């Protein structure tokens, strides 16, 4: 094996799925398991479904199609809706997140063509300034949505700690709860899903005695990397090392820490800065920015990643003397996980597949018909 390889421990993911479901489920919070960070990997999707998280979420229709075409018996929430994709959205996604009335209108038309009712969760802007309807515009938007013949508003949600770094704290969650109560009263509707956020909501969840109307989270990083995302602290009982990435050593040598010669720009047009710490034990690995987001790799203890070009990763291995042909394994942060799982040049190896049941063939290509009107009970 010469290429960089990502090793995926399916048993650890299965265990994480069980723990997450029990932890949040014990207090009435359902989970959409978000597969976008693993590029909609069907084997991982299947593990989630077989271990209690059968409602998945992804940002990309192509990922959803790939999972359903593989025969995985999942239902899907689409996290991001494009006007150019509404026909596929209503076909492949059970529910979609939306924040723009123009797109919701197109969804209604697309659903009408298919003779179905498409469910949406309306996203509300609560300060992070990524997606969401401004609270001041909410009533007007909901009034318009309710009039659309082929759309059913099944909930509201918010997404924090993504763009603006705003924390999902008690105040934000209370505000979302009361918006839900207000809307239900004002429009005489029921909103079964109040989706409070993502892996950044763990602190609020674990510290709050009262969860109000919040009964859903959309979780990716927590399930795959075992931690919350405000401070990137491990969540108790979750595996944080279900993924690791290895690459081969192609040169080792004692070299200076300071480049010598007339100094210009590096391969990416930046002016690099170096500290002179004398001679260091260096290793070059056959992996680079072309393969993965290298600054999101976690090196083994006592080794330091000095930098990377497109195909070479430069390391200070300190006391450890490696030799050519050795492989070095790295942990992954979120950016490394998503870039590695979507990489054309990194091979995937699944281990500990005991919990892994073969994918059922259901003909593929079409989403499961939902039972009754709406349920995300995950038993
Ligand atoms: C990516 C995404 C999530 C999942 O975020 P994690 O930090 O991986 O839990 C949840 N909601 C939306 C809208 C997203 O785009």
């Amino acid at each position: 094996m010469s290429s960089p390889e990502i090793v995926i421990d399916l048993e650890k993911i299965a265990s994480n799925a069980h723990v997450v479901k029990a932890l949040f489920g014990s207090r009435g919070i359902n989970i959409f398991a978000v597969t976008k960070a693993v590029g909609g990997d069907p084997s991982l999707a299947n593990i989630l479904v077989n271990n209690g998280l059968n409602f998945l979420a992804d940002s990309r229709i192509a990922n959803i199609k790939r999972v359903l075409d593989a025969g995985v018996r999942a239902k899907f929430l689409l996290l991001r809706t494009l006007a150019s994709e509404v026909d596929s959205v209503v076909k492949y996604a059970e529910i979609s997140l939306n924040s723009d009335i123009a797109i919701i209108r197109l969804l209604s038309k697309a659903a009408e063509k298919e003779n179905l009712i498409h469910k949406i969760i309306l996203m509300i802007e609560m300060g992070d300034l990524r997606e969401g309807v401004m609270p001041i515009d909410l009533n007007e938007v909901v009034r318009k949505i309710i009039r659309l013949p082929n759309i059913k508003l099944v909930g509201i949600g918010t997404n924090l700690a993504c763009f603006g770094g705003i924390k999902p704290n008690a105040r934000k969650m209370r505000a979302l709860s009361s918006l839900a109560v207000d809307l239900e009263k004002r429009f005489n509707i029921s909103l079964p899903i109040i989706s409070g956020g993502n892996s950044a909501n763990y602190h609020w969840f674990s510290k709050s005695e009262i969860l109000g109307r919040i009964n859903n989270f959309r979780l990716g990083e927590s399930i795959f990397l075992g931690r919350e995302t405000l401070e990137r602290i491990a969540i108790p009982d979750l595996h944080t090392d279900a993924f690791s990435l290895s690459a081969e050593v192609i040169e080792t040598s004692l070299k200076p820490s300071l480049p010598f010669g007339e100094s210009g720009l590096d391969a990416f047009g930046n002016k690099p800065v170096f500290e002179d710490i004398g001679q260091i034990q260096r290793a070059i690995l056959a992996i680079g920015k072309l393969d993965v987001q290298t600054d999101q790799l976690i090196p083994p203890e006592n080794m330091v990643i000095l930098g990377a070009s497109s195909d070479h990763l430069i390391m200070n291995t300190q006391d450890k003397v490696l030799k050519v042909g050795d492989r070095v394994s790295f942990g992954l942060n979120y950016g490394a996980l998503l870039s590695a799982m979507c990489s054309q040049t990194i091979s995937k190896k699944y281990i500990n597949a005991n919990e892994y049941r073969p994918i059922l063939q259901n003909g593929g290509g079409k989403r499961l018909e939902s039972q009754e009107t709406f349920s995300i009970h995950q038993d």
Side-chain angles (χ1 to χ4, degrees):
M1 187 227 336
S2 60
S3 72
E5 183 183 74
I6 186 163
V7 178
I8 304 158
D9 188 325
L10 293 177
E11 209 174 296
K12 287 183 177 169
I13 296 300
S15 162
N16 281 5
H18 280 288
V19 171
V20 157
K21 183 182 154 85
L23 170 71
F24 294 102
S26 68
R27 298 185 64 198
I29 298 220
N30 280 302
I31 302 301
F32 291 120
V34 177
T35 50
K36 71 178 187 226
V38 294
D41 180 282
S43 302
L44 282 166
N46 199 48
I47 281 286
L48 298 174
V49 168
N50 287 341
N51 290 280
L53 299 177
N54 67 329
F55 217 125
L56 307 181
D58 205 289
S59 49
R60 314 260 169 169
I61 284 284
N63 288 350
I64 295 178
K65 275 190 76 171
R66 184 176 321 122
V67 172
L68 295 178
D69 285 348
V72 179
R73 300 180 67 81
K75 288 194 254 182
F76 267 100
L77 165 75
L78 180 69
L79 295 170
R80 189 190 70 170
T81 311
L82 281 66
S84 57
E85 293 181 344
V86 289
D87 290 336
S88 307
V89 175
V90 301
K91 258 188 229 143
Y92 296 106
E94 183 80 19
I95 312 175
S96 58
L97 298 187
N98 283 279
S99 54
D100 194 302
I101 187 67
I103 292 184
I104 300 170
R105 286 200 182 103
L106 293 173
L107 281 170
S108 185
K109 289 216 181 80
E112 195 177 346
K113 274 195 282 177
E114 292 287 325
N115 199 20
L116 51 80
I117 305 288
H118 181 70
K119 303 180 193 98
I120 66 165
I121 294 173
L122 187 64
M123 295 300 275
I124 300 178
E125 177 59 70
M126 306 216 59
D128 199 55
L129 296 180
R130 203 179 74 178
E131 73 272 44
V133 174
M134 286 296 283
I136 192 166
D137 301 323
L138 190 57
N139 289 337
E140 197 188 322
V141 171
V142 169
R143 187 167 296 119
K144 288 173 180 160
I145 291 172
I146 288 172
R147 286 201 213 108
L148 293 172
N150 291 68
I151 293 292
K152 180 159 178 61
L153 179 65
V154 295
I156 59 173
T158 193
N159 197 56
L160 293 160
C162 250
F163 177 70
I166 297 300
K167 292 183 180 179
N169 59 15
R171 199 173 165 166
K172 296 292 184 194
M173 293 300 105
R174 258 199 315 273
L176 187 64
S177 279
S178 46
L179 286 174
V181 173
D182 287 353
L183 287 175
E184 287 183 335
K185 253 203 218 127
R186 182 182 303 269
F187 295 102
N188 191 26
I189 53 176
S190 116
L191 296 171
I193 305 177
I194 311 300
S195 190
N198 53 41
S199 295
N201 282 57
Y202 174 75
H203 284 297
W204 168 75
F205 168 81
S206 56
K207 277 194 226 131
S208 301
E209 273 161 35
I210 297 162
L211 303 182
R213 287 290 309 274
I214 310 300
N215 63 5
N216 175 271
F217 289 152
R218 311 167 306 272
L219 300 181
E221 185 159 348
S222 297
I223 297 168
F224 294 119
L225 298 180
R227 59 194 187 194
E228 55 77 42
T229 51
L230 273 189
E231 294 161 40
R232 304 213 132 66
I233 292 171
I235 295 173
D237 301 329
L238 291 183
H239 297 282
T240 56
D241 58 351
F243 296 84
S244 67
L245 180 61
S246 72
E248 186 177 323
V249 176
I250 58 171
E251 181 193 298
T252 66
S253 55
L254 209 56
K255 286 191 192 177
S257 43
L258 204 59
F260 42 93
E262 192 184 352
S263 146
L265 302 180
D266 71 10
F268 295 95
N270 304 310
K271 181 129 185 113
V273 184
F274 295 91
E275 193 194 345
D276 190 356
I277 52 168
Q279 296 274 104
I280 54 177
Q281 188 65 50
R282 301 170 83 101
I284 302 178
L285 271 62
I287 186 169
K289 294 191 182 181
L290 190 146
D291 305 292
V292 67
Q293 227 172 296
T294 49
D295 58 357
Q296 295 272 298
L297 293 173
I298 305 164
E301 223 174 320
N302 299 325
M303 295 193 194
V304 181
I305 296 172
L306 298 172
S309 57
S310 55
D311 304 278
H312 298 75
L313 186 80
I314 325 296
M315 297 191 71
N316 176 356
T317 65
Q318 307 199 103
D319 298 336
K320 181 103 182 140
V321 182
L322 298 172
K323 56 182 193 311
V324 159
D326 285 349
R327 293 187 74 89
V328 178
S329 277
F330 299 84
L332 290 88
N333 282 323
Y334 189 70
L337 177 67
L338 65 91
S339 55
M341 288 300 289
C342 295
S343 174
Q344 306 279 313
T345 51
I346 293 178
S347 55
K348 293 181 188 174
K349 181 178 170 187
Y350 301 93
I351 60 167
N352 294 332
N354 327 2
E355 296 284 316
Y356 176 69
R357 291 186 221 147
I359 287 176
L360 297 160
Q361 288 301 329
N362 71 349
K366 191 153 176 13
R367 66 160 198 210
L368 291 178
E369 292 305 325
S370 61
Q371 323 93 337
E372 31 43 89
T373 47
F374 176 74
S375 102
I376 55 167
H377 291 291
Q378 302 170 324
D379 295 314

